Amino acid sequence: MRSRLSRCFWLLLLCYCFLSRRAAAAPRLPVRAVNLGGWLVTEGWILPSLFDGIPNKDLLDGTQLQFKSVTQDGFVAAEKGGGAGLVANRSHASGWETFKLWRINETTFNLKVFGNQFVGVQSDGSVVATATSPGKSETFRLVRNAGQNRMRIMAANGLFLQATGSGLNMRPQC
Ligand SMILES: *[C@@H]1O[C@H](CO)[C@@H](O)[C@H](O)[C@H]1NC(C)=O
Ligand SMILES: *[C@@H]1O[C@H](CO)[C@@H](O)[C@H](O)[C@H]1NC(C)=O
């Protein structure tokens, strides 16, 4: 009886650690629900092994990402934390440089910024974080460079985001 209890305890602790790592920014642990790629698990505790077999499992819903421009050596930021354009000229990454994933499927995502707006491409080609809800122009594909820890962000029009211009504004380019 006693050993069963302690085994239970360790199991819970294991799950707790895993979930708290994933939910680092969320207040008040323990977490009793996780979002598995749009599939909400609300009952009981789930084991890390349940994530096995999910494509791109390090890009699950709610994952927070920071992007550094390889050419500019600057972190991508939502100016003012949201409500304005995206730039790639920050030397340090913190809240404004952190993007939270809304996972549509294994390759397609919405990117939510610090101020809760969504990143989108406007008709003039500028990349801004102004939308309060995501539509087609707020939908991006994250394309990995195989073997390297690199990613490109493809807009709905099929162009990849790049940092250009004096302020290193983000724009979709060929
Ligand atoms: C993901 O969703 C996008 C947009 O709905 C779609 O175009 C794409 O084919 C989907 N990809 C996969 C792998 O399901
Ligand atoms: C980054 O570029 C924006 C847009 O031009 C500018 O307003 C901001 O001051 C720049 N920030 C830094 C840290 O250079």
Side-chain angles (χ1 to χ4, degrees), residues 7-38:
R7 235 182 304 147
C8 278
F9 174 75
W10 279 110
L11 197 65
L12 287 180
L13 198 69
L14 198 75
C15 303
Y16 176 83
C17 291
F18 178 74
L19 291 174
S20 27
R21 210 158 46 83
R22 283 213 6 99
R28 298 296 142 241
L29 297 165
V31 177
R32 276 199 160 269
V34 288
N35 207 333
L36 259 184

Side-chain angles (χ1 to χ4, degrees), residues 1-11:
M1 185 63 183
R2 190 173 177 166
S3 76
R4 227 174 61 213
L5 269 180
S6 68
R7 235 182 304 147
C8 278
F9 174 75
W10 279 110
L11 197 65

Side-chain angles (χ1 to χ4, degrees), residues 62-75:
T63 302
Q64 303 194 23
L65 291 180
Q66 291 166 341
F67 300 101
K68 191 171 194 180
S69 163
V70 176
T71 52
Q72 308 299 336
D73 200 35
F75 287 100

Side-chain angles (χ1 to χ4, degrees), residues 87-109:
V87 291
N89 61 3
R90 297 293 203 280
S91 52
H92 301 286
S94 179
W96 291 11
E97 293 77 25
T98 302
F99 299 86
K100 195 171 184 180
L101 291 184
W102 274 29
R103 177 165 165 141
I104 296 168
N105 60 35
E106 62 192 81
T107 52
T108 311
F109 304 87

Side-chain angles (χ1 to χ4, degrees), residues 79 86-91 165-169:
E79 289 250 85
L86 255 66
V87 291
N89 61 3
R90 297 293 203 280
S91 52
S166 55
L168 304 180
N169 299 296

